[in-house]
Amino acid sequence: MSSRGSCRLGVLVSGSGTNLQAIIDSIETGEINAEICCVISNNAAAYALTRAKRRGIPVVVHENKGFTDRYGYDAVTVQILRSYNVELVILAGFMRILSETMVNAFPNAIMNIHPALLPAFPGLHAQQQVLNYGVRYSGCTVHFVDSGTDTGPIILQTVVPVEQDDTEESLSARIQKVEHRTFPAAIRLYADGKLIVEGRRVRILP
Ligand code: GRF
C-alpha cells in the first residue's frame, strides 16, 4: 500500500472496459493516486484495449489458447504483472476464474467488481439471477479475491432498486452506473492505505 508513491495497478479485462474507463478518468482527475502500469486481456478483440491504448497505457493480449489449465495461464499472468511491478490487480470485467497461482501471488491485492450484492447471486448472469429470484434491491460489490468464486472479503457495496419491468439489460445498465463510482472509490481507499483486512471483514480507516 503506497500512501507515499502512486499505487501501481495492473488491470485485467475481457470486454468493453467501461469500468477501466471510469478508473482511468478517476486517475486523470486526481481522485485516485495511482497509475495503470498495464492492461492485460484474454480477448484480443476487447474494446477495453482500445481505451487503454488511447491513453498510452501498455497493453498485453494474453490468450487462453496453448494453455491446458488455469495454473499455467495464471503463472504467465503473474510474470507479466511482476514485470510491470504491479502492486494491486484489478479485475474489470475479466471473464476467467483465477487459480491459486494468482491468488497466492497477490494476497489481498486483487480486487473484483461483481454486479450483485454478494454473497447473494455469485457467478455468471448475476442480474438475471436477481430477476429470476424476485429481490427488490441489487447493486454492485467490490471485494478482494480469494480462491472461491466471488467469495473474498467485501470492500464496498452500492445498492440500486430492482424495478417492476426490469430486463437483464435495464438492470445491468443501472448497476453499471454505480459500478463506475464504486470501483474507483475502493481503489482510492487501497491506494491511500486505508483498507485493513481482518479475517473476512475489511476495516476502512478514517
Ligand atoms: C461489469 O458489469 C462487472 O460487474 C462485471 O463485468 C462487467 C464489466 O463491464 N464483472 P465493463 O467491461 O467494465 O464495461
Side-chain angles (χ1 to χ4, degrees):
M1 259 152 289
S2 35
S3 42
R4 291 178 301 267
S6 99
C7 182
R8 297 182 63 81
L9 309 179
V11 184
L12 273 55
V13 297
S14 302
S16 84
T18 62
N19 279 284
L20 169 67
Q21 188 66 55
I23 296 162
I24 291 173
D25 293 347
S26 302
I27 292 172
E28 285 182 0
T29 60
E31 190 201 321
I32 307 176
N33 181 22
E35 164 188 1
I36 301 178
C37 302
C38 62
V39 168
I40 303 174
S41 177
N42 65 327
N43 167 18
Y47 186 66
L49 292 170
T50 304
R51 295 179 192 274
K53 285 186 208 154
R54 244 178 5 211
R55 291 302 209 279
I57 299 168
V59 301
V60 180
V61 175
H62 175 28
E63 288 180 308
N64 316 347
K65 43 182 185 240
F67 293 96
T68 48
D69 61 25
R70 289 190 278 136
Y71 298 93
Y73 179 89
D74 283 0
V76 174
T77 311
V78 170
Q79 275 177 17
I80 299 167
L81 291 165
R82 294 257 190 260
S83 74
Y84 284 97
N85 281 319
V86 165
E87 174 185 350
L88 177 65
V89 180
I90 304 296
L91 306 185
F94 186 60
M95 300 307 290
R96 280 180 66 93
I97 307 255
L98 300 187
S99 69
E100 271 122 22
T101 303
M102 264 291 283
V103 175
N104 295 340
F106 292 93
N108 291 328
I110 306 174
M111 272 187 201
N112 181 46
I113 190 153
H114 181 74
L117 297 175
L118 293 171
F121 311 115
L124 290 175
H125 302 292
Q127 300 92 332
Q128 190 58 53
Q129 293 184 52
V130 158
L131 294 174
N132 294 348
Y133 200 94
V135 293
R136 297 293 188 193
Y137 292 93
S138 188
C140 69
T141 303
V142 180
H143 63 95
F144 284 120
V145 174
D146 64 10
S147 53
T149 302
D150 301 324
T151 52
I154 290 171
I155 302 164
L156 292 178
Q157 296 186 298
T158 303
V159 177
V160 304
V162 179
E163 305 291 357
Q164 210 89 270
D165 297 316
D166 263 337
T167 59
E168 190 177 5
E169 291 68 38
S170 63
L171 178 59
S172 300
R174 192 173 310 117
I175 292 172
Q176 276 225 328
K177 237 178 165 169
V178 296
E179 287 186 343
H180 297 160
R181 59 183 161 82
T182 309
F183 217 170
I187 296 166
R188 179 194 172 123
L189 288 169
Y190 184 99
D192 290 348
K194 290 189 173 169
L195 296 180
I196 311 288
V197 182
E198 299 172 339
R200 275 219 55 85
R201 298 176 75 176
V202 179
R203 179 179 296 278
I204 300 177
L205 299 178

